[in-house]
């Protein structure tokens, strides 16, 4: 599969991506800069207190990754994720299942699929982020909006769409017919930023409610001639006949550090939640750079960070690192495409206990870029509980 990687500088190779036919070879990502091995130093306070496997299409030549988690009032969690319905073919659908408190679950069901040929999302639908509110679309009132990455077979770039339903476990979602957040350049053509290299576009959305109605705070990754970054928009989707899409604001990255702990980092492919007790944004993000061995297109570590909401909305402020989820913590060499578990509105009542769902992968030589042994076939979804335990 020819996944669309974001190759603009600084490099952030994105897994939740699109393009090409299912039997095309994977592109070779650019080499990662060397990083001197360092002993990970965790911020004080937070500890990993639990980790459990949640789901994976084990031994089926299928993948499960990029989860989004809604904690429901009945004590269950509605999990959305990207998966491929046909073994050996990399075409992303969005799946859903219900996770019970005892870690039993319902069977996953594909709830959002690529559109018909010629539509803007006819190749892949991925990167789900679901939020509750009040949304009127096509004369019908809906209670849930699902943001997702979509792309077409005919172009390289990705864009962000939205679909609606009246329950999180709905088997069908009503798609808005056009992207809600388009790529950052005009026209339909791909943007070539270097010979033979094309900009990634927009995708990897994460949404939280601002008023428990139609006003939302949306973040997403952008990749174009100006580089890789996360953009923030405020939306009002109360009336989809007249959606209000605010101007994009670049998310601040002050305080984010790379794997070495010595260099400033940037962010992409991140998920956010609102800590209502501290009026703060909590974010889980990949830590750069990518490893140099296969699969080099996904990260080895994740980090949970926090920033005051008011600073976040202004595009200012400084992130406080809470915890790094590293191979030493998880037992897997790759840890990527994660989400923060939150309620239906994208809120958390506290940040003293953090529940994160994340994707794991094996690395070479256990996997290889060959049809029967892709790293993707090793993707599983896990849950980690991280607790603030001051001494």
């Amino acid at each position: 599969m020819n996944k669309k990687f974001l190759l603009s500088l600084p490099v952030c190779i994105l897994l939740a991506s699109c393009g090409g036919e299912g039997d095309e070879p994977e592109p070779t990502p650019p080499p990662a800069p060397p990083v001197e091995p360092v002993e990970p130093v965790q911020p004080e306070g937070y500890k990993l207190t639990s980790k459990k496997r949640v789901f994976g299409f084990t031994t089926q030549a299928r993948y499960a990754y990029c989860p989004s988690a809604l904690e429901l009032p009945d004590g269950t969690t509605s999990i959305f994720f990207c998966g491929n319905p046909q073994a050996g073919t990399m075409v992303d659908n969005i799946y859903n299942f219900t996770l019970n408190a005892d870690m039993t679950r319902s069977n996953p069901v594909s709830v959002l699929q690529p559109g018909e040929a010629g539509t803007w999302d006819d190749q892949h639908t991925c990167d789900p982020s679901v939020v509750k509110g009040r949304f009127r679309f096509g004369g019908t009132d809906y209670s849930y909006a699902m943001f997702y990455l979509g792309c077409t077979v005919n172009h390289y770039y990705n864009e962000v769409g939205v679909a609606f339903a009246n329950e999180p476990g709905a088997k069908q979602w009503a798609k808005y017919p056009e992207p809600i957040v388009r790529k950052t350049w005009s026209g339909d053509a791909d943007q070539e930023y270097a010979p033979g290299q094309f900009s990634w576009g927009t995708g990897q959305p994460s949404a939280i409610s601002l008023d428990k109605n139609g006003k939302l705070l949306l973040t997403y990754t952008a990749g174009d001639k100006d580089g890789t970054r996360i953009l923030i928009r405020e939306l009002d989707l109360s009336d989809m006949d007249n959606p209000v899409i605010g101007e994009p604001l670049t998310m601040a990255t002050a305080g984010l550090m790379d794997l070495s702990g010595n260099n400033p980092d940037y962010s992409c492919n991140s998920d956010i939640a609102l800590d209502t007790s501290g009026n703060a944004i909590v974010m889980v993000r990949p830590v750069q750079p990518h490893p140099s061995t296969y699969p080099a297109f996904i990260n080895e570590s994740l980090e949970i960070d926090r920033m005051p909401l008011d600073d976040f909305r202004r595009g200012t402020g400084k992130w406080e690192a809470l915890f790094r989820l590293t191979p030493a913590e998880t037992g897997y060499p790759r840890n990527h495409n994660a989400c923060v578990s939150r309620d239906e509105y994208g809120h958390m009542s506290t940040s003293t206990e953090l529940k994160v769902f994340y994707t794991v992968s094996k690395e070479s030589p256990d996997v290889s870029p060959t049809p029967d042994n892709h790293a993707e076939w090793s993707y599983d979804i896990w849950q980690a509980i991280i607790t603030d335990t001051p001494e």
Side-chain angles (χ1 to χ4, degrees), residues 197-263:
Q197 303 293 330
F198 298 97
S199 294
W200 186 83
T202 59
Q204 301 174 333
S206 181
I208 60 175
S209 176
L210 292 174
D211 65 353
K212 297 189 176 181
N213 286 291
K215 294 183 179 179
L216 306 171
L217 186 67
L218 178 71
T219 65
Y220 58 93
T221 305
D224 54 24
K225 287 183 176 180
D226 293 327
T228 302
R229 60 208 182 275
I230 287 181
L231 298 179
I232 306 168
R233 285 183 189 250
E234 297 194 13
L235 317 177
D236 189 339
L237 304 188
S238 303
D239 178 6
M240 291 304 295
D241 287 337
N242 297 285
V244 178
I245 313 298
E247 291 298 314
L249 179 70
T250 300
M251 188 189 80
T253 58
L256 302 182
M257 305 300 290
D258 70 1
L259 282 176
S260 72
N262 299 319
N263 304 307

Side-chain angles (χ1 to χ4, degrees), residues 57-373:
F57 291 114
T58 308
T59 72
Q60 298 182 40
R62 298 172 67 189
Y63 47 77
Y65 75 109
C66 200
S68 178
L70 277 70
E71 298 176 3
L72 304 181
D74 65 2
T76 64
T77 301
S78 190
I79 304 288
F80 297 83
F81 70 93
C82 299
N84 59 321
Q86 183 176 342
T89 300
M90 296 186 186
V91 172
D92 286 354
N93 283 205
I94 293 174
Y95 284 78
N96 174 256
F97 65 84
T98 299
L99 183 68
N100 301 311
D102 63 1
M103 299 302 288
T104 60
R105 57 168 176 79
S106 63
N107 291 324
V109 176
S110 174
V111 297
L112 198 77
Q113 306 82 31
E116 296 180 357
T119 55
W120 76 273
D121 62 353
D122 63 5
Q123 180 63 13
H124 293 283
T125 53
C126 193
D127 296 355
S129 182
V130 178
V131 63
K132 189 175 184 179
R134 298 176 65 182
F135 315 102
R136 188 165 183 82
F137 171 50
T140 301
D141 292 324
Y142 292 100
S143 299
Y144 294 89
M146 178 197 294
F147 294 88
Y148 66 99
L149 174 152
C151 61
T152 175
V153 174
N154 297 324
H155 294 98
Y156 189 87
Y157 55 79
N158 310 287
E159 295 179 296
V160 176
V162 67
F164 301 95
N166 271 317
E167 57 183 54
K171 302 302 186 291
Q172 291 186 327
W173 290 68
K175 288 182 181 179
Y176 188 66
E178 302 292 335
I180 198 73
V181 174
R182 295 185 179 274
K183 62 189 186 310
T184 55
W185 62 94
S186 60
D188 293 332
D190 288 310
Q191 183 186 74
E192 188 174 24
Y193 66 87
Q197 303 293 330
F198 298 97
S199 294
W200 186 83
T202 59
Q204 301 174 333
S206 181
I208 60 175
S209 176
L210 292 174
D211 65 353
K212 297 189 176 181
N213 286 291
K215 294 183 179 179
L216 306 171
L217 186 67
L218 178 71
T219 65
Y220 58 93
T221 305
D224 54 24
K225 287 183 176 180
D226 293 327
T228 302
R229 60 208 182 275
I230 287 181
L231 298 179
I232 306 168
R233 285 183 189 250
E234 297 194 13
L235 317 177
D236 189 339
L237 304 188
S238 303
D239 178 6
M240 291 304 295
D241 287 337
N242 297 285
V244 178
I245 313 298
E247 291 298 314
L249 179 70
T250 300
M251 188 189 80
T253 58
L256 302 182
M257 305 300 290
D258 70 1
L259 282 176
S260 72
N262 299 319
N263 304 307
D265 206 354
Y266 62 101
S267 193
C268 60
N269 198 9
S270 301
D271 187 63
I272 62 169
L274 175 61
D275 173 13
T276 55
S277 66
N279 198 37
I281 290 291
V282 174
M283 174 178 70
V284 60
R285 69 175 185 96
V287 186
Q288 310 301 331
H290 288 256
S292 58
T293 58
Y294 179 83
F297 49 83
I298 48 177
N299 296 81
E300 66 175 50
S301 295
L302 298 158
E303 186 173 89
I304 304 168
D305 303 283
R306 181 172 55 201
M307 176 189 284
L309 173 63
D310 292 341
D311 290 344
F312 183 83
R313 292 176 73 174
R314 289 192 293 262
T316 60
K318 183 176 181 179
W319 291 99
E320 173 195 4
L322 303 182
F323 190 81
R324 277 197 179 179
L325 201 59
T326 68
E329 301 279 0
T330 68
Y332 280 86
R334 300 289 186 274
N335 303 279
H336 60 100
N337 286 278
C339 74
V340 180
S341 187
R342 67 258 183 97
D343 73 10
E344 297 171 289
Y345 297 103
H347 301 171
M348 306 159 49
S349 59
T350 178
S351 61
T352 58
E353 182 176 274
L354 303 167
K355 187 181 295 182
V356 174
F357 291 87
Y358 61 101
T359 314
V360 302
S361 171
K362 297 179 180 179
E363 69 175 342
S364 176
D366 294 325
V367 291
S368 60
T370 56
D372 295 333
N373 202 31

